[in-house]
Amino acid sequence: MRALFFRIYLILLMLPCAGFAQQIANVAAANRIIANVDSFLRRMPIEKVFTHTDRPYYSNTDTIWLKNYVLNGLLEYSKQSGVVYAELVNDTGRVVMQQAMPVFTGVNWGQIILDSTIVSEGNYTLRTYTNWMQNMGAESFYTQQLYINGTDENNRRVNAGILARQDTVQTSLQILEADGSPLRLQDMQLLLTGGRKTWFKEKRQTDLEGKVNLNFIVPKNASAGNLTLI
């Protein structure tokens, strides 16, 4: 009987040691996985570009100012590529403008100077990428939606009436040409933006007096003072 108790006592003493040994084995296995992933990322570098623009909408005679960050799979500044390509793609998928910008230590600043003879009014996609990212396909490119106005719209005038009630805003707009005549039966795309975010966009048509009405609810996460209707 004493021998049995002694064996049980020894087993109980060894249990913490066995658990500790298992923990060491788990840590070692995790370290091996991390080392393998790190080795793979260094042998097959992954690059991602993140781009900031100075605003979400432009006239087709403006300059789009860009700041690009080029990171690797470890979210460090990438040393793989020295050039970022920026393209402006229209709604038919055609690249209408392209700019190559040198990268220094994973960051660069650049611009796309819009040409009104090439860029017409409409929705565009800005996409940025490196030459290495083309190995991963276009789905790896950074993309951002932009709206570009026509040059003639800079000469138009807008008379606006706005009525705000709690979170609901009612707007009445009259759009006039440079000579003061109403912009009649013209399709318009109205955007509600806040900072870099577009909350919604809607197509409307002006009436015979150049007027268009739009009612909307201020988004819950938006600050009414930072909203812009264009």
Side-chain angles (χ1 to χ4, degrees):
M1 182 64 69
R2 288 182 178 178
L4 177 60
F5 284 138
F6 182 70
R7 289 175 182 173
I8 294 174
Y9 178 70
L10 287 178
I11 292 172
L12 292 175
L13 286 177
M14 293 174 63
L15 283 176
C17 296
F20 182 68
Q22 183 62 43
Q23 291 179 5
I24 293 176
N26 291 341
V27 171
N31 287 336
R32 285 195 298 272
I33 293 173
I34 293 172
N36 289 337
V37 171
D38 183 72
S39 176
F40 174 79
L41 290 176
R42 296 192 184 281
R43 285 185 289 107
M44 294 292 294
I46 295 174
E47 278 191 330
K48 294 294 291 183
V49 174
F50 298 92
T51 300
H52 289 169
T53 59
D54 55 328
R55 59 182 191 270
Y57 56 89
Y58 298 87
S59 164
N60 62 357
T61 57
D62 284 341
T63 297
I64 302 175
W65 293 96
L66 309 171
K67 183 177 182 180
N68 301 297
Y69 301 88
V70 186
L71 306 179
N72 60 23
L74 301 175
L75 298 182
E76 302 168 340
Y77 287 129
S78 176
K79 299 178 182 178
Q80 180 71 25
S81 300
V83 176
V84 168
Y85 298 94
E87 295 178 341
L88 196 62
V89 184
N90 66 15
D91 55 6
T92 67
R94 185 171 67 89
V95 177
V96 295
M97 297 196 73
Q98 185 184 62
Q99 183 72 34
M101 298 167 286
V103 178
F104 303 98
T105 62
V107 181
N108 87 323
W109 290 263
Q111 70 276 341
I112 299 176
I113 302 174
L114 298 178
D115 184 344
S116 60
T117 64
I118 299 174
V119 181
S120 58
E121 178 187 356
N123 292 303
Y124 289 82
T125 299
L126 172 70
R127 66 185 183 193
T128 53
Y129 60 92
T130 65
N131 191 48
W132 180 261
M133 289 170 62
Q134 294 188 78
N135 296 320
M136 310 300 174
E139 61 274 8
S140 67
F141 297 175
Y142 175 87
T143 60
Q144 179 179 332
Q145 301 302 310
L146 299 175
Y147 184 76
I148 298 179
N149 292 322
T151 305
D152 291 342
E153 294 190 1
N154 290 334
N155 298 321
R156 293 173 181 165
R157 294 185 291 114
V158 178
N159 297 326
I162 300 176
L163 177 62
R165 294 178 178 175
Q166 295 182 344
D167 293 336
T168 302
V169 178
Q170 299 176 346
T171 63
S172 177
L173 309 175
Q174 184 184 35
I175 304 172
L176 305 175
E177 298 283 12
D179 60 2
S181 61
L183 183 67
R184 299 184 177 93
L185 304 178
Q186 175 70 43
D187 290 331
M188 308 290 294
Q189 179 158 267
L190 301 175
L191 304 178
L192 182 67
T193 67
R196 297 182 180 275
K197 185 175 181 62
T198 298
W199 292 101
F200 73 83
K201 58 184 178 181
E202 187 171 331
K203 285 189 176 181
R204 294 292 180 90
Q205 187 181 71
T206 59
D207 61 18
L208 293 176
E209 296 181 347
K211 294 181 179 180
V212 60
N213 297 321
L214 179 67
N215 301 330
F216 60 89
I217 297 175
V218 177
K220 292 182 179 179
N221 297 328
S223 171
N226 293 329
L227 293 177
T228 303
L229 181 65
I230 60 174

